Amino acid sequence: MPAYAAAHLRSVQMGEEIIDYLRRIDETLPPFGGRFISHGKTPEVLEGEWPGHLVLIEFPDMERARGWYHSPAYQAILPLRTKNSEGSAILLEGVGPEYRATDFLKSIGLG
């Protein structure tokens, strides 16, 4: 199953360190099959509030997503972002193309 690294960045202080982070992050992705799905786009908010931006990176599977995040290459640049932004980051396992919402009901014994 695909997996995703997502960051909801609510505030970013654009400066030398963030610029350095952005210049270096691309080189951390190929060893793990990662690619940006969305980055730097302003969301169209349909419900509630969504301050900031969403960064979404796809990986072939959760193992490679974890490998990327914990890799020496990414860990070396991570402080450049965390010291200069406010937000949350997660890894999330995706679902296959045949997935249906009722599959969740089955997984909790209600389907």
Side-chain angles (χ1 to χ4, degrees):
M1 289 301 144
Y4 301 91
H8 179 198
L9 300 176
R10 293 177 291 281
S11 171
V12 176
Q13 302 302 315
M14 191 56 71
E16 288 183 35
E17 289 185 326
I18 288 291
I19 291 169
D20 189 25
Y21 173 86
L22 292 170
R23 287 183 173 144
R24 295 169 61 188
I25 189 171
D26 289 333
E27 67 194 36
T28 69
L29 298 172
F32 302 94
R35 69 180 186 98
F36 282 101
I37 299 296
S38 184
H39 185 253
K41 304 297 182 186
T42 301
E44 180 178 339
V45 179
L46 301 175
E47 298 177 21
E49 296 180 21
W50 188 275
H53 296 89
L54 178 71
V55 176
L56 190 59
I57 304 171
E58 181 182 52
F59 294 90
D61 52 49
M62 188 62 100
E63 182 180 338
R64 285 183 262 195
R66 283 187 194 111
W68 165 76
Y69 185 83
H70 295 291
S71 70
Y74 187 67
Q75 289 296 305
I77 65 170
L78 180 59
L80 299 173
R81 178 179 58 78
T82 58
K83 290 188 313 186
N84 295 284
S85 65
E86 180 184 322
S88 303
I90 63 169
L91 296 179
L92 180 66
E93 188 173 28
V95 297
E98 303 300 318
Y99 179 85
R100 299 294 174 257
T102 53
D103 293 342
F104 175 73
L105 293 175
K106 291 175 190 170
S107 75
I108 62 170
L110 296 175

